[in-house]
PDB file of all heavy atoms in Angstrom:
ATOM      1  N   PRO A   1     -39.131 -11.442 -63.026  1.00 97.00           N
ATOM      2  CA  PRO A   1     -38.147 -11.699 -61.959  1.00 97.00           C
ATOM      3  C   PRO A   1     -38.668 -12.790 -61.031  1.00 97.00           C
ATOM      4  O   PRO A   1     -39.795 -12.702 -60.537  1.00 97.00           O
ATOM      5  CB  PRO A   1     -38.018 -10.358 -61.255  1.00 97.00           C
ATOM      6  CG  PRO A   1     -39.332  -9.667 -61.516  1.00 97.00           C
ATOM      7  CD  PRO A   1     -39.824 -10.162 -62.848  1.00 97.00           C
ATOM      8  N   ALA A   2     -37.883 -13.810 -60.825  1.00 98.00           N
ATOM      9  CA  ALA A   2     -38.363 -15.048 -60.216  1.00 98.00           C
ATOM     10  C   ALA A   2     -38.957 -14.862 -58.823  1.00 98.00           C
ATOM     11  O   ALA A   2     -40.059 -15.335 -58.540  1.00 98.00           O
ATOM     12  CB  ALA A   2     -37.221 -16.071 -60.178  1.00 98.00           C
ATOM     13  N   VAL A   3     -38.238 -14.210 -57.938  1.00 97.00           N
ATOM     14  CA  VAL A   3     -38.730 -14.085 -56.565  1.00 97.00           C
ATOM     15  C   VAL A   3     -39.960 -13.181 -56.494  1.00 97.00           C
ATOM     16  O   VAL A   3     -40.979 -13.573 -55.906  1.00 97.00           O
ATOM     17  CB  VAL A   3     -37.599 -13.609 -55.627  1.00 97.00           C
ATOM     18  CG1 VAL A   3     -38.133 -13.292 -54.243  1.00 97.00           C
ATOM     19  CG2 VAL A   3     -36.513 -14.688 -55.533  1.00 97.00           C
ATOM     20  N   PRO A   4     -39.945 -11.990 -57.084  1.00 97.00           N
ATOM     21  CA  PRO A   4     -41.173 -11.181 -57.078  1.00 97.00           C
ATOM     22  C   PRO A   4     -42.354 -11.862 -57.771  1.00 97.00           C
ATOM     23  O   PRO A   4     -43.518 -11.606 -57.435  1.00 97.00           O
ATOM     24  CB  PRO A   4     -40.763  -9.908 -57.835  1.00 97.00           C
ATOM     25  CG  PRO A   4     -39.290  -9.804 -57.630  1.00 97.00           C
ATOM     26  CD  PRO A   4     -38.807 -11.232 -57.654  1.00 97.00           C
ATOM     27  N   ALA A   5     -42.071 -12.755 -58.738  1.00 96.00           N
ATOM     28  CA  ALA A   5     -43.137 -13.435 -59.471  1.00 96.00           C
ATOM     29  C   ALA A   5     -43.781 -14.560 -58.671  1.00 96.00           C
ATOM     30  O   ALA A   5     -44.768 -15.138 -59.110  1.00 96.00           O
ATOM     31  CB  ALA A   5     -42.592 -13.988 -60.783  1.00 96.00           C
ATOM     32  N   GLY A   6     -43.213 -14.877 -57.532  1.00 97.00           N
ATOM     33  CA  GLY A   6     -43.784 -15.930 -56.705  1.00 97.00           C
ATOM     34  C   GLY A   6     -42.832 -17.067 -56.403  1.00 97.00           C
ATOM     35  O   GLY A   6     -43.150 -17.970 -55.636  1.00 97.00           O
ATOM     36  N   GLY A   7     -41.659 -17.036 -57.033  1.00 98.00           N
ATOM     37  CA  GLY A   7     -40.604 -17.980 -56.706  1.00 98.00           C
ATOM     38  C   GLY A   7     -40.991 -19.442 -56.820  1.00 98.00           C
ATOM     39  O   GLY A   7     -41.663 -19.865 -57.765  1.00 98.00           O
ATOM     40  N   ILE A   8     -40.585 -20.214 -55.824  1.00 98.00           N
ATOM     41  CA  ILE A   8     -40.792 -21.653 -55.837  1.00 98.00           C
ATOM     42  C   ILE A   8     -42.278 -21.993 -55.841  1.00 98.00           C
ATOM     43  O   ILE A   8     -42.724 -22.921 -56.522  1.00 98.00           O
ATOM     44  CB  ILE A   8     -40.075 -22.288 -54.628  1.00 98.00           C
ATOM     45  CG1 ILE A   8     -38.549 -22.146 -54.800  1.00 98.00           C
ATOM     46  CG2 ILE A   8     -40.456 -23.758 -54.465  1.00 98.00           C
ATOM     47  CD1 ILE A   8     -37.760 -22.423 -53.554  1.00 98.00           C
ATOM     48  N   GLY A   9     -43.067 -21.228 -55.092  1.00 98.00           N
ATOM     49  CA  GLY A   9     -44.505 -21.468 -55.061  1.00 98.00           C
ATOM     50  C   GLY A   9     -45.133 -21.324 -56.438  1.00 98.00           C
ATOM     51  O   GLY A   9     -45.976 -22.143 -56.840  1.00 98.00           O
ATOM     52  N   MET A  10     -44.716 -20.317 -57.178  1.00 98.00           N
ATOM     53  CA  MET A  10     -45.233 -20.114 -58.537  1.00 98.00           C
ATOM     54  C   MET A  10     -44.810 -21.249 -59.455  1.00 98.00           C
ATOM     55  O   MET A  10     -45.610 -21.771 -60.240  1.00 98.00           O
ATOM     56  CB  MET A  10     -44.740 -18.775 -59.082  1.00 98.00           C
ATOM     57  CG  MET A  10     -45.115 -18.532 -60.535  1.00 98.00           C
ATOM     58  SD  MET A  10     -46.898 -18.350 -60.814  1.00 98.00           S
ATOM     59  CE  MET A  10     -47.086 -16.593 -60.489  1.00 98.00           C
ATOM     60  N   LEU A  11     -43.553 -21.651 -59.388  1.00 98.00           N
ATOM     61  CA  LEU A  11     -43.052 -22.732 -60.239  1.00 98.00           C
ATOM     62  C   LEU A  11     -43.812 -24.034 -59.983  1.00 98.00           C
ATOM     63  O   LEU A  11     -44.200 -24.737 -60.920  1.00 98.00           O
ATOM     64  CB  LEU A  11     -41.557 -22.939 -60.001  1.00 98.00           C
ATOM     65  CG  LEU A  11     -40.648 -21.835 -60.559  1.00 98.00           C
ATOM     66  CD1 LEU A  11     -39.282 -21.884 -59.894  1.00 98.00           C
ATOM     67  CD2 LEU A  11     -40.510 -21.965 -62.070  1.00 98.00           C
ATOM     68  N   ASN A  12     -44.027 -24.349 -58.721  1.00 98.00           N
ATOM     69  CA  ASN A  12     -44.765 -25.566 -58.384  1.00 98.00           C
ATOM     70  C   ASN A  12     -46.213 -25.487 -58.843  1.00 98.00           C
ATOM     71  O   ASN A  12     -46.791 -26.487 -59.296  1.00 98.00           O
ATOM     72  CB  ASN A  12     -44.697 -25.825 -56.883  1.00 98.00           C
ATOM     73  CG  ASN A  12     -43.312 -26.249 -56.418  1.00 98.00           C
ATOM     74  OD1 ASN A  12     -42.525 -26.779 -57.200  1.00 98.00           O
ATOM     75  ND2 ASN A  12     -42.994 -26.014 -55.159  1.00 98.00           N
ATOM     76  N   ALA A  13     -46.803 -24.304 -58.744  1.00 97.00           N
ATOM     77  CA  ALA A  13     -48.197 -24.137 -59.164  1.00 97.00           C
ATOM     78  C   ALA A  13     -48.336 -24.266 -60.678  1.00 97.00           C
ATOM     79  O   ALA A  13     -49.308 -24.851 -61.180  1.00 97.00           O
ATOM     80  CB  ALA A  13     -48.722 -22.780 -58.699  1.00 97.00           C
ATOM     81  N   ILE A  14     -47.376 -23.723 -61.421  1.00 97.00           N
ATOM     82  CA  ILE A  14     -47.419 -23.786 -62.886  1.00 97.00           C
ATOM     83  C   ILE A  14     -47.210 -25.210 -63.382  1.00 97.00           C
ATOM     84  O   ILE A  14     -47.753 -25.605 -64.422  1.00 97.00           O
ATOM     85  CB  ILE A  14     -46.357 -22.838 -63.492  1.00 97.00           C
ATOM     86  CG1 ILE A  14     -46.790 -21.371 -63.301  1.00 97.00           C
ATOM     87  CG2 ILE A  14     -46.127 -23.119 -64.971  1.00 97.00           C
ATOM     88  CD1 ILE A  14     -45.758 -20.361 -63.776  1.00 97.00           C
ATOM     89  N   TYR A  15     -46.449 -26.004 -62.635  1.00 98.00           N
ATOM     90  CA  TYR A  15     -46.135 -27.360 -63.079  1.00 98.00           C
ATOM     91  C   TYR A  15     -47.400 -28.204 -63.277  1.00 98.00           C
ATOM     92  O   TYR A  15     -47.471 -29.014 -64.209  1.00 98.00           O
ATOM     93  CB  TYR A  15     -45.208 -28.042 -62.086  1.00 98.00           C
ATOM     94  CG  TYR A  15     -44.826 -29.449 -62.500  1.00 98.00           C
ATOM     95  CD1 TYR A  15     -43.910 -29.661 -63.522  1.00 98.00           C
ATOM     96  CD2 TYR A  15     -45.405 -30.559 -61.875  1.00 98.00           C
ATOM     97  CE1 TYR A  15     -43.564 -30.946 -63.918  1.00 98.00           C
ATOM     98  CE2 TYR A  15     -45.069 -31.844 -62.270  1.00 98.00           C
ATOM     99  CZ  TYR A  15     -44.146 -32.034 -63.283  1.00 98.00           C
ATOM    100  OH  TYR A  15     -43.816 -33.299 -63.680  1.00 98.00           O
ATOM    101  N   GLY A  16     -48.394 -28.003 -62.448  1.00 96.00           N
ATOM    102  CA  GLY A  16     -49.624 -28.785 -62.549  1.00 96.00           C
ATOM    103  C   GLY A  16     -50.294 -28.694 -63.918  1.00 96.00           C
ATOM    104  O   GLY A  16     -50.424 -29.685 -64.637  1.00 96.00           O
ATOM    105  N   PRO A  17     -50.694 -27.470 -64.340  1.00 97.00           N
ATOM    106  CA  PRO A  17     -51.370 -27.343 -65.629  1.00 97.00           C
ATOM    107  C   PRO A  17     -50.437 -27.285 -66.830  1.00 97.00           C
ATOM    108  O   PRO A  17     -50.856 -27.509 -67.966  1.00 97.00           O
ATOM    109  CB  PRO A  17     -52.129 -26.025 -65.484  1.00 97.00           C
ATOM    110  CG  PRO A  17     -51.323 -25.230 -64.514  1.00 97.00           C
ATOM    111  CD  PRO A  17     -50.758 -26.231 -63.552  1.00 97.00           C
ATOM    112  N   LEU A  18     -49.160 -26.980 -66.610  1.00 98.00           N
ATOM    113  CA  LEU A  18     -48.224 -26.784 -67.722  1.00 98.00           C
ATOM    114  C   LEU A  18     -46.927 -27.564 -67.473  1.00 98.00           C
ATOM    115  O   LEU A  18     -45.834 -26.994 -67.385  1.00 98.00           O
ATOM    116  CB  LEU A  18     -47.920 -25.289 -67.893  1.00 98.00           C
ATOM    117  CG  LEU A  18     -49.140 -24.399 -68.206  1.00 98.00           C
ATOM    118  CD1 LEU A  18     -48.813 -22.937 -67.961  1.00 98.00           C
ATOM    119  CD2 LEU A  18     -49.592 -24.618 -69.638  1.00 98.00           C
ATOM    120  N   PRO A  19     -47.015 -28.887 -67.385  1.00 98.00           N
ATOM    121  CA  PRO A  19     -45.836 -29.687 -67.039  1.00 98.00           C
ATOM    122  C   PRO A  19     -44.801 -29.804 -68.148  1.00 98.00           C
ATOM    123  O   PRO A  19     -43.695 -30.285 -67.900  1.00 98.00           O
ATOM    124  CB  PRO A  19     -46.446 -31.059 -66.709  1.00 98.00           C
ATOM    125  CG  PRO A  19     -47.679 -31.125 -67.560  1.00 98.00           C
ATOM    126  CD  PRO A  19     -48.216 -29.720 -67.576  1.00 98.00           C
ATOM    127  N   ASP A  20     -45.154 -29.365 -69.353  1.00 98.00           N
ATOM    128  CA  ASP A  20     -44.216 -29.483 -70.477  1.00 98.00           C
ATOM    129  C   ASP A  20     -43.269 -28.296 -70.583  1.00 98.00           C
ATOM    130  O   ASP A  20     -42.431 -28.249 -71.484  1.00 98.00           O
ATOM    131  CB  ASP A  20     -44.985 -29.644 -71.796  1.00 98.00           C
ATOM    132  CG  ASP A  20     -45.980 -28.520 -72.037  1.00 98.00           C
ATOM    133  OD1 ASP A  20     -46.454 -27.916 -71.060  1.00 98.00           O
ATOM    134  OD2 ASP A  20     -46.306 -28.258 -73.212  1.00 98.00           O
ATOM    135  N   ILE A  21     -43.373 -27.340 -69.679  1.00 98.00           N
ATOM    136  CA  ILE A  21     -42.524 -26.147 -69.704  1.00 98.00           C
ATOM    137  C   ILE A  21     -41.346 -26.329 -68.756  1.00 98.00           C
ATOM    138  O   ILE A  21     -41.518 -26.768 -67.615  1.00 98.00           O
ATOM    139  CB  ILE A  21     -43.316 -24.890 -69.313  1.00 98.00           C
ATOM    140  CG1 ILE A  21     -44.519 -24.688 -70.240  1.00 98.00           C
ATOM    141  CG2 ILE A  21     -42.410 -23.672 -69.326  1.00 98.00           C
ATOM    142  CD1 ILE A  21     -44.155 -24.465 -71.698  1.00 98.00           C
ATOM    143  N   THR A  22     -40.147 -25.984 -69.226  1.00 98.00           N
ATOM    144  CA  THR A  22     -38.941 -26.043 -68.404  1.00 98.00           C
ATOM    145  C   THR A  22     -38.436 -24.626 -68.164  1.00 98.00           C
ATOM    146  O   THR A  22     -38.347 -23.829 -69.095  1.00 98.00           O
ATOM    147  CB  THR A  22     -37.848 -26.864 -69.103  1.00 98.00           C
ATOM    148  OG1 THR A  22     -38.364 -28.162 -69.402  1.00 98.00           O
ATOM    149  CG2 THR A  22     -36.624 -27.009 -68.205  1.00 98.00           C
ATOM    150  N   PHE A  23     -38.093 -24.333 -66.922  1.00 98.00           N
ATOM    151  CA  PHE A  23     -37.743 -22.962 -66.546  1.00 98.00           C
ATOM    152  C   PHE A  23     -36.280 -22.792 -66.130  1.00 98.00           C
ATOM    153  O   PHE A  23     -35.641 -23.714 -65.623  1.00 98.00           O
ATOM    154  CB  PHE A  23     -38.608 -22.515 -65.362  1.00 98.00           C
ATOM    155  CG  PHE A  23     -40.036 -22.254 -65.702  1.00 98.00           C
ATOM    156  CD1 PHE A  23     -40.989 -23.245 -65.527  1.00 98.00           C
ATOM    157  CD2 PHE A  23     -40.442 -21.027 -66.217  1.00 98.00           C
ATOM    158  CE1 PHE A  23     -42.323 -23.014 -65.835  1.00 98.00           C
ATOM    159  CE2 PHE A  23     -41.767 -20.789 -66.536  1.00 98.00           C
ATOM    160  CZ  PHE A  23     -42.717 -21.787 -66.344  1.00 98.00           C
ATOM    161  N   CYS A  24     -35.825 -21.549 -66.352  1.00 98.00           N
ATOM    162  CA  CYS A  24     -34.597 -21.039 -65.743  1.00 98.00           C
ATOM    163  C   CYS A  24     -35.015 -19.803 -64.946  1.00 98.00           C
ATOM    164  O   CYS A  24     -35.036 -18.691 -65.483  1.00 98.00           O
ATOM    165  CB  CYS A  24     -33.572 -20.661 -66.805  1.00 98.00           C
ATOM    166  SG  CYS A  24     -32.103 -19.826 -66.126  1.00 98.00           S
ATOM    167  N   PRO A  25     -35.405 -19.974 -63.682  1.00 98.00           N
ATOM    168  CA  PRO A  25     -35.795 -18.816 -62.887  1.00 98.00           C
ATOM    169  C   PRO A  25     -34.593 -17.901 -62.631  1.00 98.00           C
ATOM    170  O   PRO A  25     -33.502 -18.369 -62.331  1.00 98.00           O
ATOM    171  CB  PRO A  25     -36.332 -19.424 -61.590  1.00 98.00           C
ATOM    172  CG  PRO A  25     -35.765 -20.802 -61.540  1.00 98.00           C
ATOM    173  CD  PRO A  25     -35.534 -21.234 -62.943  1.00 98.00           C
ATOM    174  N   THR A  26     -34.821 -16.616 -62.774  1.00 98.00           N
ATOM    175  CA  THR A  26     -33.757 -15.622 -62.611  1.00 98.00           C
ATOM    176  C   THR A  26     -34.340 -14.381 -61.947  1.00 98.00           C
ATOM    177  O   THR A  26     -35.440 -13.958 -62.285  1.00 98.00           O
ATOM    178  CB  THR A  26     -33.177 -15.223 -63.983  1.00 98.00           C
ATOM    179  OG1 THR A  26     -32.731 -16.388 -64.671  1.00 98.00           O
ATOM    180  CG2 THR A  26     -32.006 -14.267 -63.827  1.00 98.00           C
ATOM    181  N   GLY A  27     -33.600 -13.810 -61.016  1.00 97.00           N
ATOM    182  CA  GLY A  27     -34.044 -12.571 -60.376  1.00 97.00           C
ATOM    183  C   GLY A  27     -34.313 -12.777 -58.903  1.00 97.00           C
ATOM    184  O   GLY A  27     -35.343 -13.335 -58.530  1.00 97.00           O
ATOM    185  N   GLY A  28     -33.350 -12.403 -58.067  1.00 97.00           N
ATOM    186  CA  GLY A  28     -33.524 -12.527 -56.623  1.00 97.00           C
ATOM    187  C   GLY A  28     -33.035 -13.843 -56.053  1.00 97.00           C
ATOM    188  O   GLY A  28     -33.209 -14.102 -54.861  1.00 97.00           O
ATOM    189  N   ILE A  29     -32.426 -14.695 -56.884  1.00 97.00           N
ATOM    190  CA  ILE A  29     -31.933 -15.992 -56.420  1.00 97.00           C
ATOM    191  C   ILE A  29     -30.486 -15.845 -55.952  1.00 97.00           C
ATOM    192  O   ILE A  29     -29.691 -15.144 -56.576  1.00 97.00           O
ATOM    193  CB  ILE A  29     -32.040 -17.043 -57.546  1.00 97.00           C
ATOM    194  CG1 ILE A  29     -33.510 -17.217 -57.951  1.00 97.00           C
ATOM    195  CG2 ILE A  29     -31.455 -18.384 -57.096  1.00 97.00           C
ATOM    196  CD1 ILE A  29     -33.714 -18.098 -59.155  1.00 97.00           C
ATOM    197  N   SER A  30     -30.166 -16.526 -54.861  1.00 96.00           N
ATOM    198  CA  SER A  30     -28.833 -16.420 -54.272  1.00 96.00           C
ATOM    199  C   SER A  30     -28.202 -17.799 -54.145  1.00 96.00           C
ATOM    200  O   SER A  30     -28.840 -18.828 -54.384  1.00 96.00           O
ATOM    201  CB  SER A  30     -28.926 -15.786 -52.878  1.00 96.00           C
ATOM    202  OG  SER A  30     -29.641 -16.656 -51.996  1.00 96.00           O
ATOM    203  N   GLN A  31     -26.945 -17.805 -53.761  1.00 94.00           N
ATOM    204  CA  GLN A  31     -26.236 -19.064 -53.490  1.00 94.00           C
ATOM    205  C   GLN A  31     -27.011 -19.901 -52.473  1.00 94.00           C
ATOM    206  O   GLN A  31     -27.079 -21.120 -52.580  1.00 94.00           O
ATOM    207  CB  GLN A  31     -24.839 -18.744 -52.952  1.00 94.00           C
ATOM    208  CG  GLN A  31     -24.063 -19.935 -52.413  1.00 94.00           C
ATOM    209  CD  GLN A  31     -23.381 -20.748 -53.490  1.00 94.00           C
ATOM    210  OE1 GLN A  31     -23.082 -20.229 -54.553  1.00 94.00           O
ATOM    211  NE2 GLN A  31     -23.144 -22.012 -53.215  1.00 94.00           N
ATOM    212  N   GLU A  32     -27.639 -19.221 -51.499  1.00 95.00           N
ATOM    213  CA  GLU A  32     -28.327 -19.917 -50.419  1.00 95.00           C
ATOM    214  C   GLU A  32     -29.666 -20.515 -50.861  1.00 95.00           C
ATOM    215  O   GLU A  32     -30.101 -21.541 -50.318  1.00 95.00           O
ATOM    216  CB  GLU A  32     -28.561 -18.959 -49.240  1.00 95.00           C
ATOM    217  CG  GLU A  32     -27.294 -18.522 -48.513  1.00 95.00           C
ATOM    218  CD  GLU A  32     -26.414 -17.581 -49.328  1.00 95.00           C
ATOM    219  OE1 GLU A  32     -26.968 -16.764 -50.106  1.00 95.00           O
ATOM    220  OE2 GLU A  32     -25.172 -17.655 -49.193  1.00 95.00           O
TER     221      GLU A  32
END
C-alpha cells in the first residue's frame, strides 16, 4: 500500500538505485 509503504518519499528514494522501474502507486492516494 503506497502511503503506508512510505509514499512519495519511498518512490523518490527507490528512483536513485533503481531508475529503470516504473510504478503505479496504489493505497491511500486521494484526489488531493
Side-chain angles (χ1 to χ4, degrees):
V3 172
I8 293 166
M10 175 66 86
L11 288 161
N12 290 336
I14 288 176
Y15 181 75
L18 300 164
D20 56 334
I21 303 298
T22 304
F23 288 95
C24 173
T26 304
I29 299 173
S30 65
Q31 171 82 25
E32 292 70 34

